[in-house]
């Protein structure tokens, strides 16, 4: 891979809307077109920030907010249900300039968990807040609250009932993950990453996945890269995916694409499935997934703006 030198006109952005069993055989053209339109809208939300000379941290916030508000994806509105038929949301954001980070988990009322994560990063002394404490912090900072019904959709409720009827394990057998995320490199060469999720259908005991865990599902370091993940969170946590990719780039001199493939390989060897998007400090974008599909989108300063779902696109 050729690593170009960063110049002030360069910026790039990648988004994902989750990995899963999506293939042309099980997804008809109308449904695929619907998802492509939703991805395009979120990609445009982030692109608009970067095109106007905005920062990577603002771009990933804008893209992830758009995906949270869109019921197609498992984050914010449209989040999957817990075993007890509630929506518990996790999100994280990280600024590669300073490695400042903010995370929240098991949030049930904040409309945009990624905004709350950002407020934790910028306006509080801590990195990671959970549940009612996170929500108290949200109220103290005047963040928009919604009735929990805002997050619930009939399709996710149906998926929970289907999951309970099967009783065949902890993971949705169809692997409809749907977590969302974004990574960006702005015109100043600064990196940022953000991830937001409802977690896994049927999750119990205040289960938290990799998405809000800094160094696992979300990581950004200007010295290396920014990473956002989706997949079997337990394995992504054990591998420390985001930090591991950054360490390979920074310390082992691997290209971003090599490091991303190698770390996803480790995830696979440990029984994990999912996808990764990443960008390095030169603005090179990469992605990898070991599921059939990954909802994804890419844009950069050259005018590239594309979305894809299936393998080989
Ligand atoms: N990684 C998320 C989690 O384990 C799930 C997903 O990617 O959809 O919570």
């Amino acid at each position: 891979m050729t690593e170009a030198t960063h110049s002030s006109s360069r910026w790039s952005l990648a988004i994902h809307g989750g990995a899963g069993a999506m293939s042309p055989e099980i997804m008809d053209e109308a449904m695929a077109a619907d998802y492509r339109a939703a991805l395009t809208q979120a990609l445009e939300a982030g692109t608009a920030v970067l095109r106007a000379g905005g920062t990577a941290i603002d771009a990933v916030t804008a893209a992830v907010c758009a995906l949270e508000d869109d019921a197609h994806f498992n984050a914010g509105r449209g989040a999957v249900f817990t075993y007890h038929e509630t929506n518990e949301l996790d999100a994280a954001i990280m600024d590669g300039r300073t490695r400042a980070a903010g995370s929240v988990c098991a949030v049930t009322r904040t409309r945009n968990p990624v905004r709350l994560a950002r407020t934790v990063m910028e306006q509080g002394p801590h990195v990671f807040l959970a549940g009612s404490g996170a929500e108290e912090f949200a109220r103290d900072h005047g963040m928009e609250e919604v009735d929990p019904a805002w997050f619930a959709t009939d399709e996710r409720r149906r998926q929970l009932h289907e999951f309970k009827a099967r009783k065949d394990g902890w993971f949705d057998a169809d692997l409809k993950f749907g977590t969302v995320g974004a990574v960006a490199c702005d015109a100043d060469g600064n990196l940022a990453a953000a991830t937001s999720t409802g977690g896994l259908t049927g999750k119990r005991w205040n289960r938290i996945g990799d998405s809000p865990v800094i160094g696992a599902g979300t990581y950004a370091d200007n010295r290396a890269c920014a990473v956002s993940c989706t997949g079997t969170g337990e394995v992504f946590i054990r591998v420390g995916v985001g930090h591991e990719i950054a360490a390979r780039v920074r310390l082992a001199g691997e290209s971003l694409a090599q490091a991303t493939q190698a770390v996803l390989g480790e995830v696979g060897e440990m029984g994990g499935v999912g996808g990764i998007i990443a960008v390095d400090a030169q603005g090179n974008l990469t992605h990898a997934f070991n599921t059939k599909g990954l909802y994804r989108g890419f844009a950069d300063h050259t005018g590239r703006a594309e979305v894809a779902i299936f393998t080989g696109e």
Side-chain angles (χ1 to χ4, degrees):
M1 177 181 234
T2 317
E3 311 270 333
T5 312
H6 199 91
S7 87
S8 63
S9 60
R10 287 174 62 98
W11 56 263
S12 48
L13 170 72
I15 62 167
H16 72 79
M22 302 82 76
S23 67
E25 291 76 45
I26 63 162
M27 195 174 208
D28 65 33
E29 275 181 31
M31 191 190 274
D34 212 31
Y35 274 91
R36 288 182 205 278
L39 288 166
T40 301
Q41 214 179 359
L43 191 66
E44 183 48 38
T47 295
V49 173
L50 293 165
R51 204 190 284 127
T55 60
I57 198 82
D58 282 344
V60 298
T61 305
V64 170
C65 275
L67 292 161
E68 285 179 338
D69 282 344
D70 191 320
H72 286 91
F73 304 103
N74 171 20
R77 192 164 145 71
V80 299
F81 280 97
T82 67
Y83 193 83
H84 301 290
E85 217 154 328
T86 57
N87 300 113
E88 291 182 1
L89 312 169
D90 306 333
I93 192 163
M94 188 159 183
D95 189 333
R97 286 176 290 200
T98 54
R99 280 177 285 158
S103 299
V104 294
C105 65
V107 163
T108 59
R109 287 187 168 273
T110 303
R111 173 170 168 166
N112 289 109
V114 74
R115 279 197 205 287
L116 177 52
R118 182 157 176 188
T119 306
V120 169
M121 174 176 85
E122 290 176 343
Q123 296 182 42
H126 306 302
V127 167
F128 204 167
L129 299 182
S132 55
E135 243 129 18
E136 189 179 325
F137 179 89
R139 271 192 296 279
D140 289 349
H141 288 79
M143 308 213 59
E144 183 178 353
E145 275 199 348
V146 289
D147 186 279
W150 160 259
F151 301 113
T153 63
D154 291 344
E155 173 57 13
R156 294 301 189 191
R157 211 180 289 279
R158 189 195 63 71
Q159 289 174 8
L160 175 68
H161 295 159
E162 190 183 273
F163 171 85
K164 282 187 169 177
R166 276 203 312 261
K167 296 192 192 318
D168 63 354
W170 292 114
F171 298 110
D172 183 343
D174 294 333
L175 302 175
K176 294 188 219 84
F177 287 119
T179 287
V180 310
V183 295
C185 176
D186 64 29
D188 292 325
N190 292 316
L191 304 181
T195 312
S196 182
T197 188
L200 297 176
T201 298
K203 66 183 184 180
R204 293 171 80 176
W205 308 296
N206 281 138
R207 178 266 184 193
I208 309 297
D210 60 311
S211 311
V213 177
I214 297 300
T218 308
Y219 198 67
D221 180 349
N222 270 12
R223 299 172 302 174
C225 57
V227 180
S228 173
C229 304
T230 174
T232 38
E234 281 67 9
V235 179
F236 281 72
I237 291 173
R238 288 163 58 208
V239 172
V241 170
H243 189 272
E244 185 72 6
I245 293 172
R248 280 175 173 262
V249 169
R250 186 165 67 91
L251 303 173
E254 292 182 10
S255 75
L256 183 66
Q258 282 171 334
T260 303
Q261 286 292 348
V263 175
L264 185 65
E266 261 186 62
V267 167
E269 280 163 23
M270 289 168 68
V273 291
I276 301 168
I277 57 169
V279 63
D280 68 16
Q282 287 73 44
N284 298 301
L285 296 170
T286 197
H287 72 284
F289 56 102
N290 63 2
T291 45
K292 286 197 173 154
L294 175 70
Y295 294 117
R296 58 197 185 276
F298 307 96
D300 68 27
H301 63 283
T302 66
R304 178 186 186 195
E306 59 198 40
V307 299
I309 303 174
F310 308 123
T311 302
E313 281 192 86

